[in-house]
Structures are given as C-alpha cells and as structure tokens.
Amino acid sequence: MKRYLIFLIIILFHIEANSQDKDTLFFKFDKQYIIPSLGNENNYILKDSHEEGTFFFTIEEIYKDLEFEEPLCLKKYVRKSEFYDKKRKRKLNDYRLMGHFSNYEVFLIKDDKFIKVTSSYSID
C-alpha cells in the first residue's frame, strides 16, 4: 500500500509540474525586424533568420486589451541571447531559438492588437 501511495504522489507531482502556465513575453512589433512571409500571410520571419533553415512565428490568435508590463524589443532580445553570435557567418541559430520560444507564450504588439504567435523552424 505504501508503495502505491508513493507512486500516486509521483504521478500527481509530474502532472502538476507539466500543467504549469508558461511565462509570457510581449514584444513591440518592429516592421524593420519582423517581416511578413511572402509564402504565408500568417507567418513572420525575423531579419536575422537565414535561408538554409528559417525561424518564423505563426499567428495563433489576435487579442485586444491585454495587461502587460513594458514590451521588449525582439531584435535586442534575440541579439543578446545565446542563440546569436555576431562573429559567425550564420549569426542566428534558428533551431535553438525556436526551442527557446516554445517555452513561452509570445505576443507581438502591433498598434492596438496583441498577436499571439508560436515559434517554428523550417528547412528550405
């Protein structure tokens, strides 16, 4: 009986740990850095992405009137991250950046709209 109780506690702990809400990131929409995809109007590509494998955001939903603190600058956020190395030819590690953003709920703030996006990676 004791063994089953311990097993049940472990399962409940695992469920609780996996059901926690993700942190949320809000970024100002910088039309010089966040570029609409030519092939799909629901996708945004970053200026730092490269042609061999591309990081992109896909629009999930659009909201109005969300509460948030100061929005971040996406360009500064990316370029100061461990996924960006200005010394290399391919400066941005698109795949790792996609993995990083998958741990967050990400919103792009454009005018009075809050665009909820998911991160993806595509090999061209």
Side-chain angles (χ1 to χ4, degrees), residues 108-119:
L108 304 175
I109 303 171
K110 184 176 183 182
D111 302 323
D112 63 342
K113 299 176 189 170
F114 295 83
I115 305 167
K116 184 177 181 183
V117 293
T118 56
S119 59

Side-chain angles (χ1 to χ4, degrees), residues 46-98:
L46 302 184
K47 188 173 183 178
D48 287 324
S49 290
H50 44 80
E51 297 169 359
E52 294 151 10
T54 304
F55 170 87
F56 61 94
F57 287 122
T58 300
I59 297 172
E60 199 171 284
E61 287 185 65
I62 298 176
Y63 298 90
K64 291 191 176 223
D65 301 324
L66 294 180
E67 291 184 23
F68 67 99
E69 293 184 18
E70 187 69 25
L72 302 169
C73 174
L74 183 59
K75 182 178 180 178
K76 287 180 184 176
Y77 186 90
V78 169
R79 290 190 175 175
K80 288 185 178 182
S81 73
E82 63 189 77
F83 316 111
Y84 187 84
D85 185 352
K86 63 182 177 183
K87 297 174 187 170
R88 300 184 70 191
K89 182 179 178 184
R90 296 175 60 200
K91 295 173 178 28
L92 182 63
N93 186 326
D94 295 79
Y95 182 75
R96 289 187 58 217
L97 183 64
M98 185 256 327

